[in-house]
């Protein structure tokens, strides 16, 4: 029998969780979800198929975050498939990256707390490329903004942009409040974006996403005029729009799965052409000669690593470069000889981390990236000057 707590219906199981019958941590997590649901007028809770938890890097959460996680880990275990967002370092090769021992110790303690909760230690913002692939219309609770955008837009799964604590609460209880992007009626576009220029490079898609996110904030865009886009280009677009605005869902005419199910009549139009593309590249550049080039924001796919190896075939890159990716992708790259090819060309592949959440401010001053999201965060989070360009130009 269901009963009502505040404004939301809870099943008997959920009510028992709230009443502490499954332990005090589960009750605490359920309280958080009920409060969140009440704020957004959710009518009920729904089961989630998987969770992705952010707030993993010691650089982002510090000692208070570590203590909070250690406290939760004493008692709580996750009930659904749960992955992590990138940590502050490669969990195996942190010394080689130049990470300080005291930072590493704290980072490993954070990972240990997550491990105790039975979370899969796959620290990546592309869980969908690393073994956590939801299906169309499946309800999930993910928190990293580019992963949220990809899941909603490219896969057609349903997730709100969870915060670290609400994602952890969903992992521990198995539920999330039913509101926002879980509901079909909230997935309608707000703007039509008329794309009037050719987008060749992943960085062009990223620049467009950045421009549109800045213009429309947290609304939903519907892109028209994109003839083709591969998975990496879509992930670059979504990541950038989520960084400059808070776009958690976009549609691309003829490409994304809900584009022929939503209406666009009467919507305000925004044009994106050659001038806007040029303007965005200029906006994202404030550096001259990078000390390092880092690819993989969002985490590089095997196709991107292959492309980099191909560009550099038979030669060394002019500058040192890193590729950041998931451990699953790095392992695949190693097994098929791609890691060796990258190292021969002067690069390194690091897993579990990224250029924004690792303390690269202690290592470099100017970073080259083809990601608009990284270009957006590097100056503030890592005190970097940024060179934003396409992959080929950065590898010249
Ligand atoms: Fe991923 Fe880090 Fe970029 S978490 S989306 S690589 S800022």
């Amino acid at each position: 029998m269901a009963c009502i707590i505040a404004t939301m219906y809870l099943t008997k199981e959920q009510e028992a969780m709230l009443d502490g019958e499954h332990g005090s941590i589960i009750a605490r997590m359920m309280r958080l979800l009920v409060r969140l649901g009440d704020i957004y007028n959710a009518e009920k809770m729904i089961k989630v198929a998987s969770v992705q938890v952010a707030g993993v890097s010691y650089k982002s959460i510090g000692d208070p975050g570590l203590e909070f996680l250690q406290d939760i880990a004493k008692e709580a275990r996750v009930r659904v498939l749960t992955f992590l967002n990138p940590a502050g370092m490669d969990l195996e090769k942190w010394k080689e990256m130049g990470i300080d021992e005291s930072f590493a110790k704290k980072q490993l303690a954070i990972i240990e707390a997550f491990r105790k909760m039975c979370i899969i230690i796959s620290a990546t913002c592309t869980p969908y490329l690393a073994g956590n692939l939801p299906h169309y219309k499946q309800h999930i609770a993910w928190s990293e903004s580019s992963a949220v955008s990809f899941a909603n837009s490219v896969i057609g799964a349903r997730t709100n942009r969870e915060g670290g604590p609400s994602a952890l609460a969903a992992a521990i209880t198995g539920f999330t409040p039913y509101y926002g992007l879980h509901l079909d009626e909230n997935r309608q576009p707000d703007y039509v974006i008329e794309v009037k220029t050719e987008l060749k490079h992943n960085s062009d898609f990223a620049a467009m996403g950045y421009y549109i996110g800045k213009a429309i904030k947290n609304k939903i865009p519907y892109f028209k005029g994109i003839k083709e886009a591969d998975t990496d280009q879509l992930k670059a677009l979504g990541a950038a729009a989520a960084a400059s605005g808070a776009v958690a869902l976009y549609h691309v005419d003829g490409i994304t799965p809900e584009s022929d199910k939503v209406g666009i009549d009467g919507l305000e139009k925004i044009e994106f052409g050659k001038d806007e593309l040029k303007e965005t590249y200029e906006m994202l550049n404030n550096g001259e000669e990078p000390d390092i080039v880092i690819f993989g924001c969002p985490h590089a796919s095997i196709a991107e690593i292959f492309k980099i190896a191909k560009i550099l075939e038979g030669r060394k890159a002019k500058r040192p470069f890193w590729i950041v990716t998931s451990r699953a992708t790095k392992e695949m790259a190693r097994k098929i000889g791609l890691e060796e090819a990258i190292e021969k060309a002067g690069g390194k592949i690091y897993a579990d981390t990224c250029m924004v959440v690792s303390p690269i401010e202690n290592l470099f001053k100017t970073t080259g990236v083809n990601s608009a999201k990284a270009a957006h965060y590097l100056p503030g989070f890592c005190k970097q000057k940024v060179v934003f360009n396409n992959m080929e130009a950065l590898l010249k």
Side-chain angles (χ1 to χ4, degrees):
M1 199 180 75
C3 66
I4 300 175
I5 300 285
T7 57
M8 195 185 327
Y9 277 98
L10 295 184
T11 63
K12 244 182 163 176
E13 183 194 11
Q14 292 158 355
E15 197 189 27
M17 285 179 167
L18 190 65
D19 289 345
E21 287 174 33
H22 297 268
S24 63
I25 299 283
I26 290 189
R28 196 165 139 200
M29 296 290 119
M30 201 39 126
R31 272 202 302 278
L32 188 156
L33 294 176
V34 167
R35 250 183 250 131
L36 188 66
D38 280 351
I39 290 169
Y40 289 101
N41 290 322
E43 64 183 57
K44 61 179 181 180
M45 296 272 182
I46 47 166
K47 277 190 178 163
V48 289
S50 77
V51 173
Q52 190 238 8
V53 173
V56 178
S57 169
Y58 178 63
K59 179 173 162 177
S60 323
I61 66 171
D63 287 324
L66 169 59
E67 282 154 28
F68 168 77
L69 292 171
Q70 285 174 329
D71 189 36
I72 301 281
K74 278 183 202 150
E75 198 186 297
R77 303 292 174 262
V78 298
R79 293 183 160 221
V80 293
L81 177 71
T82 304
F83 273 36
L84 292 177
N85 210 36
M89 61 189 202
D90 186 308
L91 299 175
E92 292 176 6
K93 297 219 164 156
W94 55 269
K95 269 194 191 141
E96 185 188 287
M97 276 181 81
I99 302 291
D100 184 82
E101 189 130 14
S102 57
F103 181 95
K105 229 173 128 187
K106 299 280 192 180
Q107 184 63 71
L108 292 172
I110 290 171
I111 294 298
E112 190 44 39
F114 283 126
R115 200 189 302 277
K116 261 190 159 170
M117 293 182 223
C118 299
I119 291 176
I120 292 175
I121 307 305
S122 178
T124 180
C125 50
T126 57
Y128 47 89
L129 296 178
N132 183 356
L133 178 66
H135 66 65
Y136 182 61
K137 287 200 170 189
Q138 196 166 33
H139 294 283
I140 56 176
W142 287 12
S143 51
E144 196 282 318
S145 65
S146 78
V148 166
S149 167
F150 192 93
N152 274 322
S153 314
V154 184
I155 301 170
R158 268 92 172 108
T159 178
N160 288 316
R161 190 169 159 166
E162 300 293 342
S166 68
L168 196 58
I172 288 168
T173 61
F175 298 106
T176 196
Y178 188 48
Y179 74 97
L181 292 174
H182 290 285
L183 301 165
D184 283 355
E185 63 262 33
N186 294 334
R187 299 176 67 89
Q188 293 295 318
D190 301 295
Y191 290 91
V192 170
I193 315 301
E194 299 197 316
V195 182
K196 302 276 190 191
T197 184
E198 195 196 351
L199 304 168
K200 277 203 301 223
H201 304 284
N202 292 10
S203 51
D204 296 346
F205 280 83
M208 181 173 71
Y210 194 80
Y211 181 91
I212 296 304
K214 226 173 158 39
I216 70 167
K217 312 279 187 287
N218 63 351
K219 299 294 184 201
I220 301 175
Y222 186 101
F223 292 93
K224 280 189 85 170
I226 298 178
K227 290 186 189 66
E228 55 177 5
D230 66 26
T231 306
D232 293 317
Q233 290 164 338
L234 294 172
K235 87 173 155 60
L237 189 167
S244 61
V247 175
L249 166 65
Y250 64 87
H251 304 288
V252 182
D253 187 22
I255 293 181
T256 57
E258 287 163 85
S259 65
D260 56 358
K261 295 174 184 64
V262 294
I264 55 168
D265 287 350
L267 294 183
E268 192 178 320
K269 292 185 173 134
I270 298 176
E271 271 197 18
F272 184 84
K274 249 203 285 180
D275 292 347
E276 288 76 20
L277 185 63
K278 189 166 168 267
E279 182 191 314
T280 314
Y281 268 78
E282 285 165 5
M283 195 194 318
L284 290 169
N285 263 287
N286 68 354
E288 278 163 20
E289 181 57 33
D291 310 320
I292 180 101
V293 171
I294 311 184
F295 299 108
C297 173
H299 268 173
S301 67
I302 198 75
E304 288 175 296
I305 301 176
F306 182 76
K307 194 170 165 194
I308 293 168
K310 206 78 195 133
I311 293 171
L312 290 168
E313 203 168 15
R315 70 174 174 98
K316 262 199 168 330
K318 196 171 120 193
R319 317 175 177 97
F321 71 96
W322 289 357
I323 302 171
V324 287
T325 188
S326 66
R327 187 148 297 278
T329 301
K330 178 179 155 74
E331 193 51 23
M332 196 192 311
R334 186 184 68 76
K335 283 235 159 96
I336 61 177
L338 269 181
E339 185 170 30
E340 200 186 329
I342 294 296
E343 286 182 357
K344 264 194 192 146
K348 289 275 176 203
I349 303 180
Y350 289 120
D352 318 313
T353 189
C354 85
M355 63 288 255
V356 172
V357 299
S358 66
I360 64 160
E361 59 276 19
N362 302 331
L363 306 170
F364 314 114
K365 287 201 162 53
T366 304
T367 301
V369 290
N370 69 339
S371 159
K373 175 171 179 176
H376 176 75
Y377 285 121
L378 281 170
F381 278 39
C382 305
K383 301 187 183 82
Q384 295 295 292
K385 288 215 175 301
V386 172
V387 174
F388 172 73
N389 211 333
N390 65 62
M391 192 180 267
E392 287 80 356
L394 289 168
L395 287 171
K396 255 187 191 148

